[in-house]
Amino acid sequence: MVQFDSRTLAQAFFGAAAVQDGGTVTDEILPELAEGDYFFLKHPRASSIVIEDSTDGTPITLVEGEHYEVSDADHGRCRLLKLPGGATMPLKVDYEYAGYVNIPAFSRTNVERGIIFSGINGDGQKVRVIIPRISLAMSGDFGWIGDSASELTLGGQALYVQQLQGDPLFGPFMRIDTMPDLPA
């Protein structure tokens, strides 16, 4: 595959892709930060970000561009530039966020699917391979985040399908169809 979608990525990481609707967050508490530190909000695709300190009564509101910067709103990444005088930790954030797809990785024990490969073999012959049941797992290295395309390799075993044991076209593990040029 040249690309993988959210569902395929979720399967590779033993999870399920779940759509998270957009919403609003009030008083998300940030970890202890020093000036110059980057931090991430709980939700990506953030907007309308307001950061306040923990002063009792009337909290101090930090000013974007002076006290903090939003370095990448889509990833929810911000940076504390400097604390205003008298600010009390922890900092609290209010913001809105747009919907996104969440994949809780390794939340499922096994991924079983059926796969159909179709293409041309090394001899130029069309071939179709149907594996009705395969246990998939991510294999090899996966470059998590980068500026260039990453390769996700899935591997697994063809599993026995008892219902297909007597099927003349499939057999209990897989079916392979070749389409050679047959004499007329």
Side-chain angles (χ1 to χ4, degrees), residues 101-114:
V101 175
N102 181 52
I103 300 170
F106 307 108
S107 60
R108 293 187 171 182
T109 56
N110 192 14
V111 177
E112 288 186 10
R113 292 286 182 254

Side-chain angles (χ1 to χ4, degrees), residues 37-109:
D37 284 352
Y38 285 91
F39 59 92
F40 286 86
L41 302 174
K42 181 178 179 181
H43 298 279
R45 304 185 75 192
S47 62
S48 305
I49 298 169
V50 175
I51 301 176
E52 295 179 333
D53 79 335
S54 292
T55 301
D56 289 332
T58 306
I60 299 171
T61 301
L62 281 67
V63 177
E64 185 176 358
E66 181 180 342
H67 300 119
Y68 73 95
E69 67 181 4
V70 178
S71 58
D72 190 329
D74 275 345
H75 288 111
R77 185 179 68 214
C78 303
R79 183 176 183 206
L80 180 64
L81 300 175
K82 69 177 183 176
L83 283 171
T88 304
M89 291 286 193
L91 299 177
K92 298 177 183 178
V93 186
D94 298 342
Y95 60 97
E96 295 175 8
Y97 61 93
Y100 59 95
V101 175
N102 181 52
I103 300 170
F106 307 108
S107 60
R108 293 187 171 182
T109 56

